[in-house]
Amino acid sequence: MPVLRSLENKIAGAIEGTFNRVFRSEVRPLEIARKLAREMEEHRYPTLSRTYVPNEYRVFLSPRDRERFASYEDALIDELAGYLLEHARRERFALLSSPLIEFETDERLGLGEFGIETAVVEPEEQPPPPAYAAWPGAESEQVGHTMVFSASQRHAAPPTQAPAIRRQRALVIYNGRRLMVGPHGATLGRSRESDIVIEDQNVSRRHAELRPRGEAWVVSDLGSTNGTRLNGRPVRAAEPLAPGDEIELGSSFVTFELE
């Protein structure tokens, strides 16, 4: 049985390594769409009657990836905004405006790398609100000052105050590359679904995470097989981070920085 398990692990590792080499060659629009939806879900802000989600998204691309999208960037942005709008409608999330997506170039990113920054921003101006229409199948009710958007039409009322999320930008240095951490954190692991992919067979698929806490940042282990260490010490719970701290995952090291 151990021999079979070892063979299975080798095959899985070879397959995953192959896909990493293939898909790390460029950013795919579908990958951006899935990550945007994930950021929407992770950064929701429940109130007494609504669950707000970010309405502004900045996608940071490498120069080469941005150049690839240049000929159809506006069309792609419109399609991604429609995808987020439909996702919000399906999950019954509240938006203060239609999703706004911007692409930006970051010279520090390599081909196949991208980052996403989100914010909840109140629109500067709004037209007089129409009567509120509830989600399909729901009872009609007043939203107060909430704007709720569906894929087919907008249901609006004057917006309330919502927290604008603008945190100090964090990043990690891994294999000589500077990788951005979103303002609400990032997962680190071997899986392609991780925000920051660590290509190391000694790293678990979802190994650790970085999260903001108040004005600081913390690192936590996600039940990894080989554990996480901070400056040589095992991470047992959420540990505060400072610029220059070294995080050990499996046999790999990343350095935490702020800018």
Side-chain angles (χ1 to χ4, degrees), residues 57-87:
Y57 299 81
R58 299 170 67 196
V59 180
F60 297 91
L61 298 166
S62 70
R64 292 177 62 188
D65 280 312
R66 182 77 184 278
E67 183 179 354
R68 287 181 50 247
F69 296 140
S71 61
Y72 64 102
E73 182 174 298
D74 291 342
L76 176 58
I77 286 175
D78 288 344
E79 186 174 353
L80 291 172
Y83 174 81
L84 285 182
L85 200 61
E86 173 61 22
H87 187 71

mmCIF file of all heavy atoms in Angstrom, residues 57-87:
data_model
loop_
_atom_site.group_PDB
_atom_site.id
_atom_site.type_symbol
_atom_site.label_atom_id
_atom_site.label_comp_id
_atom_site.label_asym_id
_atom_site.label_seq_id
_atom_site.Cartn_x
_atom_site.Cartn_y
_atom_site.Cartn_z
ATOM 1 N N TYR A 57 -12.830 46.927 -8.515
ATOM 2 C CA TYR A 57 -11.808 45.882 -8.608
ATOM 3 C C TYR A 57 -10.680 46.374 -9.508
ATOM 4 O O TYR A 57 -10.927 46.782 -10.644
ATOM 5 C CB TYR A 57 -12.404 44.592 -9.190
ATOM 6 C CG TYR A 57 -13.517 44.014 -8.365
ATOM 7 C CD1 TYR A 57 -14.811 44.524 -8.460
ATOM 8 C CD2 TYR A 57 -13.299 42.960 -7.486
ATOM 9 C CE1 TYR A 57 -15.851 44.014 -7.701
ATOM 10 C CE2 TYR A 57 -14.318 42.435 -6.729
ATOM 11 C CZ TYR A 57 -15.598 42.967 -6.840
ATOM 12 O OH TYR A 57 -16.618 42.447 -6.082
ATOM 13 N N ARG A 58 -9.461 46.341 -8.986
ATOM 14 C CA ARG A 58 -8.280 46.695 -9.775
ATOM 15 C C ARG A 58 -7.480 45.420 -10.009
ATOM 16 O O ARG A 58 -7.068 44.752 -9.066
ATOM 17 C CB ARG A 58 -7.436 47.737 -9.054
ATOM 18 C CG ARG A 58 -8.172 49.038 -8.799
ATOM 19 C CD ARG A 58 -7.389 49.936 -7.872
ATOM 20 N NE ARG A 58 -6.161 50.413 -8.482
ATOM 21 C CZ ARG A 58 -5.150 50.953 -7.790
ATOM 22 N NH1 ARG A 58 -5.224 51.037 -6.471
ATOM 23 N NH2 ARG A 58 -4.084 51.399 -8.418
ATOM 24 N N VAL A 59 -7.298 45.084 -11.279
ATOM 25 C CA VAL A 59 -6.569 43.870 -11.652
ATOM 26 C C VAL A 59 -5.186 44.286 -12.133
ATOM 27 O O VAL A 59 -5.050 45.026 -13.111
ATOM 28 C CB VAL A 59 -7.311 43.102 -12.758
ATOM 29 C CG1 VAL A 59 -6.535 41.841 -13.143
ATOM 30 C CG2 VAL A 59 -8.725 42.741 -12.305
ATOM 31 N N PHE A 60 -4.154 43.837 -11.427
ATOM 32 C CA PHE A 60 -2.776 44.167 -11.770
ATOM 33 C C PHE A 60 -2.193 43.043 -12.625
ATOM 34 O O PHE A 60 -2.208 41.877 -12.217
ATOM 35 C CB PHE A 60 -1.943 44.361 -10.500
ATOM 36 C CG PHE A 60 -2.410 45.501 -9.643
ATOM 37 C CD1 PHE A 60 -3.349 45.295 -8.642
ATOM 38 C CD2 PHE A 60 -1.924 46.786 -9.839
ATOM 39 C CE1 PHE A 60 -3.787 46.335 -7.854
ATOM 40 C CE2 PHE A 60 -2.355 47.837 -9.055
ATOM 41 C CZ PHE A 60 -3.290 47.618 -8.060
ATOM 42 N N LEU A 61 -1.689 43.393 -13.788
ATOM 43 C CA LEU A 61 -1.164 42.424 -14.737
ATOM 44 C C LEU A 61 0.297 42.709 -15.053
ATOM 45 O O LEU A 61 0.757 43.851 -14.932
ATOM 46 C CB LEU A 61 -1.965 42.472 -16.040
ATOM 47 C CG LEU A 61 -3.454 42.117 -15.951
ATOM 48 C CD1 LEU A 61 -4.167 42.542 -17.226
ATOM 49 C CD2 LEU A 61 -3.637 40.630 -15.711
ATOM 50 N N SER A 62 1.000 41.677 -15.475
ATOM 51 C CA SER A 62 2.360 41.879 -15.955
ATOM 52 C C SER A 62 2.305 42.631 -17.280
ATOM 53 O O SER A 62 1.285 42.614 -17.981
ATOM 54 C CB SER A 62 3.052 40.527 -16.152
ATOM 55 O OG SER A 62 2.482 39.853 -17.270
ATOM 56 N N PRO A 63 3.382 43.325 -17.651
ATOM 57 C CA PRO A 63 3.370 44.049 -18.932
ATOM 58 C C PRO A 63 3.013 43.168 -20.116
ATOM 59 O O PRO A 63 2.253 43.572 -20.999
ATOM 60 C CB PRO A 63 4.803 44.587 -19.037
ATOM 61 C CG PRO A 63 5.267 44.711 -17.621
ATOM 62 C CD PRO A 63 4.637 43.559 -16.898
ATOM 63 N N ARG A 64 3.510 41.936 -20.143
ATOM 64 C CA ARG A 64 3.254 41.059 -21.286
ATOM 65 C C ARG A 64 1.807 40.596 -21.323
ATOM 66 O O ARG A 64 1.189 40.516 -22.389
ATOM 67 C CB ARG A 64 4.208 39.865 -21.256
ATOM 68 C CG ARG A 64 5.673 40.243 -21.522
ATOM 69 C CD ARG A 64 6.578 39.040 -21.410
ATOM 70 N NE ARG A 64 6.253 38.016 -22.381
ATOM 71 C CZ ARG A 64 6.807 36.804 -22.385
ATOM 72 N NH1 ARG A 64 7.718 36.500 -21.463
ATOM 73 N NH2 ARG A 64 6.469 35.916 -23.296
ATOM 74 N N ASP A 65 1.221 40.302 -20.148
ATOM 75 C CA ASP A 65 -0.185 39.906 -20.126
ATOM 76 C C ASP A 65 -1.082 41.080 -20.505
ATOM 77 O O ASP A 65 -2.066 40.916 -21.227
ATOM 78 C CB ASP A 65 -0.555 39.374 -18.734
ATOM 79 C CG ASP A 65 -0.118 37.931 -18.532
ATOM 80 O OD1 ASP A 65 -0.390 37.104 -19.410
ATOM 81 O OD2 ASP A 65 0.490 37.640 -17.493
ATOM 82 N N ARG A 66 -0.741 42.275 -20.011
ATOM 83 C CA ARG A 66 -1.552 43.457 -20.342
ATOM 84 C C ARG A 66 -1.509 43.712 -21.852
ATOM 85 O O ARG A 66 -2.527 44.072 -22.467
ATOM 86 C CB ARG A 66 -0.999 44.678 -19.582
ATOM 87 C CG ARG A 66 -1.812 45.968 -19.811
ATOM 88 C CD ARG A 66 -3.082 45.968 -19.010
ATOM 89 N NE ARG A 66 -3.907 47.124 -19.274
ATOM 90 C CZ ARG A 66 -3.741 48.325 -18.717
ATOM 91 N NH1 ARG A 66 -2.758 48.520 -17.830
ATOM 92 N NH2 ARG A 66 -4.565 49.324 -18.992
ATOM 93 N N GLU A 67 -0.360 43.489 -22.445
ATOM 94 C CA GLU A 67 -0.226 43.695 -23.882
ATOM 95 C C GLU A 67 -1.080 42.693 -24.655
ATOM 96 O O GLU A 67 -1.667 43.019 -25.690
ATOM 97 C CB GLU A 67 1.251 43.545 -24.280
ATOM 98 C CG GLU A 67 1.528 43.809 -25.752
ATOM 99 C CD GLU A 67 3.002 43.680 -26.084
ATOM 100 O OE1 GLU A 67 3.814 43.505 -25.154
ATOM 101 O OE2 GLU A 67 3.334 43.744 -27.278
ATOM 102 N N ARG A 68 -1.181 41.463 -24.154
ATOM 103 C CA ARG A 68 -2.000 40.445 -24.811
ATOM 104 C C ARG A 68 -3.467 40.844 -24.858
ATOM 105 O O ARG A 68 -4.185 40.510 -25.812
ATOM 106 C CB ARG A 68 -1.863 39.108 -24.079
ATOM 107 C CG ARG A 68 -0.554 38.385 -24.279
ATOM 108 C CD ARG A 68 -0.555 37.074 -23.519
ATOM 109 N NE ARG A 68 -1.751 36.303 -23.802
ATOM 110 C CZ ARG A 68 -2.700 36.048 -22.910
ATOM 111 N NH1 ARG A 68 -2.613 36.516 -21.672
ATOM 112 N NH2 ARG A 68 -3.744 35.323 -23.243
ATOM 113 N N PHE A 69 -3.939 41.535 -23.801
ATOM 114 C CA PHE A 69 -5.351 41.905 -23.724
ATOM 115 C C PHE A 69 -5.650 43.242 -24.393
ATOM 116 O O PHE A 69 -6.806 43.662 -24.455
ATOM 117 C CB PHE A 69 -5.795 41.981 -22.268
ATOM 118 C CG PHE A 69 -5.737 40.667 -21.532
ATOM 119 C CD1 PHE A 69 -5.307 40.613 -20.217
ATOM 120 C CD2 PHE A 69 -6.099 39.492 -22.164
ATOM 121 C CE1 PHE A 69 -5.259 39.411 -19.533
ATOM 122 C CE2 PHE A 69 -6.042 38.274 -21.498
ATOM 123 C CZ PHE A 69 -5.624 38.230 -20.182
ATOM 124 N N ALA A 70 -4.624 43.934 -24.882
ATOM 125 C CA ALA A 70 -4.797 45.311 -25.341
ATOM 126 C C ALA A 70 -5.857 45.449 -26.423
ATOM 127 O O ALA A 70 -6.646 46.392 -26.420
ATOM 128 C CB ALA A 70 -3.456 45.864 -25.851
ATOM 129 N N SER A 71 -5.911 44.505 -27.358
ATOM 130 C CA SER A 71 -6.814 44.649 -28.505
ATOM 131 C C SER A 71 -8.279 44.469 -28.141
ATOM 132 O O SER A 71 -9.163 44.889 -28.887
ATOM 133 C CB SER A 71 -6.436 43.652 -29.608
ATOM 134 O OG SER A 71 -6.558 42.323 -29.134
ATOM 135 N N TYR A 72 -8.548 43.828 -26.980
ATOM 136 C CA TYR A 72 -9.953 43.631 -26.590
ATOM 137 C C TYR A 72 -10.176 43.883 -25.094
ATOM 138 O O TYR A 72 -11.083 43.340 -24.481
ATOM 139 C CB TYR A 72 -10.414 42.217 -26.961
ATOM 140 C CG TYR A 72 -9.705 41.081 -26.258
ATOM 141 C CD1 TYR A 72 -10.287 40.414 -25.189
ATOM 142 C CD2 TYR A 72 -8.461 40.641 -26.687
ATOM 143 C CE1 TYR A 72 -9.657 39.360 -24.554
ATOM 144 C CE2 TYR A 72 -7.812 39.590 -26.072
ATOM 145 C CZ TYR A 72 -8.423 38.951 -24.994
ATOM 146 O OH TYR A 72 -7.778 37.904 -24.377
ATOM 147 N N GLU A 73 -9.344 44.757 -24.529
ATOM 148 C CA GLU A 73 -9.411 44.994 -23.090
ATOM 149 C C GLU A 73 -10.766 45.543 -22.652
ATOM 150 O O GLU A 73 -11.346 45.078 -21.663
ATOM 151 C CB GLU A 73 -8.300 45.957 -22.663
ATOM 152 C CG GLU A 73 -8.274 46.218 -21.162
ATOM 153 C CD GLU A 73 -7.085 47.061 -20.740
ATOM 154 O OE1 GLU A 73 -5.937 46.602 -20.933
ATOM 155 O OE2 GLU A 73 -7.316 48.178 -20.248
ATOM 156 N N ASP A 74 -11.315 46.533 -23.382
ATOM 157 C CA ASP A 74 -12.603 47.116 -22.996
ATOM 158 C C ASP A 74 -13.713 46.069 -23.034
ATOM 159 O O ASP A 74 -14.559 46.018 -22.129
ATOM 160 C CB ASP A 74 -12.951 48.290 -23.917
ATOM 161 C CG ASP A 74 -12.044 49.488 -23.699
ATOM 162 O OD1 ASP A 74 -11.388 49.541 -22.642
ATOM 163 O OD2 ASP A 74 -11.988 50.367 -24.579
ATOM 164 N N ALA A 75 -13.706 45.250 -24.065
ATOM 165 C CA ALA A 75 -14.729 44.208 -24.177
ATOM 166 C C ALA A 75 -14.585 43.187 -23.049
ATOM 167 O O ALA A 75 -15.586 42.724 -22.481
ATOM 168 C CB ALA A 75 -14.632 43.515 -25.532
ATOM 169 N N LEU A 76 -13.347 42.842 -22.710
ATOM 170 C CA LEU A 76 -13.104 41.892 -21.636
ATOM 171 C C LEU A 76 -13.560 42.460 -20.299
ATOM 172 O O LEU A 76 -14.185 41.765 -19.492
ATOM 173 C CB LEU A 76 -11.623 41.525 -21.588
ATOM 174 C CG LEU A 76 -11.187 40.591 -20.445
ATOM 175 C CD1 LEU A 76 -11.956 39.281 -20.493
ATOM 176 C CD2 LEU A 76 -9.689 40.344 -20.517
ATOM 177 N N ILE A 77 -13.276 43.749 -20.048
ATOM 178 C CA ILE A 77 -13.702 44.382 -18.806
ATOM 179 C C ILE A 77 -15.222 44.377 -18.692
ATOM 180 O O ILE A 77 -15.791 44.087 -17.634
ATOM 181 C CB ILE A 77 -13.142 45.816 -18.721
ATOM 182 C CG1 ILE A 77 -11.637 45.765 -18.413
ATOM 183 C CG2 ILE A 77 -13.873 46.635 -17.658
ATOM 184 C CD1 ILE A 77 -10.959 47.115 -18.415
ATOM 185 N N ASP A 78 -15.906 44.691 -19.793
ATOM 186 C CA ASP A 78 -17.372 44.669 -19.775
ATOM 187 C C ASP A 78 -17.896 43.265 -19.470
ATOM 188 O O ASP A 78 -18.864 43.094 -18.715
ATOM 189 C CB ASP A 78 -17.918 45.130 -21.123
ATOM 190 C CG ASP A 78 -17.733 46.628 -21.344
ATOM 191 O OD1 ASP A 78 -17.478 47.344 -20.359
ATOM 192 O OD2 ASP A 78 -17.827 47.081 -22.497
ATOM 193 N N GLU A 79 -17.259 42.273 -20.061
ATOM 194 C CA GLU A 79 -17.702 40.900 -19.832
ATOM 195 C C GLU A 79 -17.463 40.479 -18.383
ATOM 196 O O GLU A 79 -18.314 39.831 -17.760
ATOM 197 C CB GLU A 79 -16.973 39.960 -20.785
ATOM 198 C CG GLU A 79 -17.479 38.526 -20.727
ATOM 199 C CD GLU A 79 -16.841 37.633 -21.770
ATOM 200 O OE1 GLU A 79 -16.099 38.167 -22.618
ATOM 201 O OE2 GLU A 79 -17.093 36.414 -21.741
ATOM 202 N N LEU A 80 -16.329 40.848 -17.823
ATOM 203 C CA LEU A 80 -16.028 40.517 -16.432
ATOM 204 C C LEU A 80 -16.997 41.227 -15.484
ATOM 205 O O LEU A 80 -17.442 40.648 -14.488
ATOM 206 C CB LEU A 80 -14.586 40.894 -16.101
ATOM 207 C CG LEU A 80 -13.490 40.066 -16.774
ATOM 208 C CD1 LEU A 80 -12.124 40.670 -16.510
ATOM 209 C CD2 LEU A 80 -13.528 38.615 -16.295
ATOM 210 N N ALA A 81 -17.325 42.498 -15.784
ATOM 211 C CA ALA A 81 -18.281 43.235 -14.948
ATOM 212 C C ALA A 81 -19.649 42.562 -14.994
ATOM 213 O O ALA A 81 -20.330 42.435 -13.963
ATOM 214 C CB ALA A 81 -18.371 44.686 -15.416
ATOM 215 N N GLY A 82 -20.076 42.118 -16.177
ATOM 216 C CA GLY A 82 -21.344 41.411 -16.279
ATOM 217 C C GLY A 82 -21.334 40.099 -15.522
ATOM 218 O O GLY A 82 -22.326 39.708 -14.894
ATOM 219 N N TYR A 83 -20.198 39.420 -15.542
ATOM 220 C CA TYR A 83 -20.057 38.162 -14.806
ATOM 221 C C TYR A 83 -20.194 38.402 -13.302
ATOM 222 O O TYR A 83 -20.899 37.665 -12.601
ATOM 223 C CB TYR A 83 -18.701 37.543 -15.133
ATOM 224 C CG TYR A 83 -18.359 36.310 -14.343
ATOM 225 C CD1 TYR A 83 -18.865 35.064 -14.699
ATOM 226 C CD2 TYR A 83 -17.516 36.387 -13.239
ATOM 227 C CE1 TYR A 83 -18.546 33.933 -13.975
ATOM 228 C CE2 TYR A 83 -17.191 35.259 -12.510
ATOM 229 C CZ TYR A 83 -17.705 34.029 -12.881
ATOM 230 O OH TYR A 83 -17.384 32.910 -12.153
ATOM 231 N N LEU A 84 -19.549 39.462 -12.799
ATOM 232 C CA LEU A 84 -19.659 39.776 -11.376
ATOM 233 C C LEU A 84 -21.070 40.205 -11.008
ATOM 234 O O LEU A 84 -21.572 39.887 -9.922
ATOM 235 C CB LEU A 84 -18.662 40.875 -11.005
ATOM 236 C CG LEU A 84 -17.196 40.466 -10.914
ATOM 237 C CD1 LEU A 84 -16.347 41.656 -10.483
ATOM 238 C CD2 LEU A 84 -17.006 39.320 -9.925
ATOM 239 N N LEU A 85 -21.707 40.947 -11.893
ATOM 240 C CA LEU A 85 -23.074 41.386 -11.644
ATOM 241 C C LEU A 85 -24.006 40.189 -11.505
ATOM 242 O O LEU A 85 -24.837 40.126 -10.591
ATOM 243 C CB LEU A 85 -23.531 42.286 -12.794
ATOM 244 C CG LEU A 85 -24.709 43.217 -12.548
ATOM 245 C CD1 LEU A 85 -24.425 44.198 -11.438
ATOM 246 C CD2 LEU A 85 -25.040 43.965 -13.830
ATOM 247 N N GLU A 86 -23.864 39.234 -12.397
ATOM 248 C CA GLU A 86 -24.682 38.020 -12.340
ATOM 249 C C GLU A 86 -24.359 37.201 -11.100
ATOM 250 O O GLU A 86 -25.252 36.639 -10.457
ATOM 251 C CB GLU A 86 -24.445 37.192 -13.607
ATOM 252 C CG GLU A 86 -25.109 35.822 -13.609
ATOM 253 C CD GLU A 86 -26.619 35.905 -13.501
ATOM 254 O OE1 GLU A 86 -27.187 36.973 -13.835
ATOM 255 O OE2 GLU A 86 -27.236 34.902 -13.071
ATOM 256 N N HIS A 87 -23.076 37.152 -10.730
ATOM 257 C CA HIS A 87 -22.683 36.408 -9.522
ATOM 258 C C HIS A 87 -23.295 37.044 -8.273
ATOM 259 O O HIS A 87 -23.782 36.334 -7.387
ATOM 260 C CB HIS A 87 -21.155 36.383 -9.417
ATOM 261 C CG HIS A 87 -20.647 35.517 -8.308
ATOM 262 N ND1 HIS A 87 -20.710 34.134 -8.346
ATOM 263 C CD2 HIS A 87 -20.082 35.827 -7.105
ATOM 264 C CE1 HIS A 87 -20.202 33.639 -7.242
ATOM 265 N NE2 HIS A 87 -19.810 34.635 -6.469
#
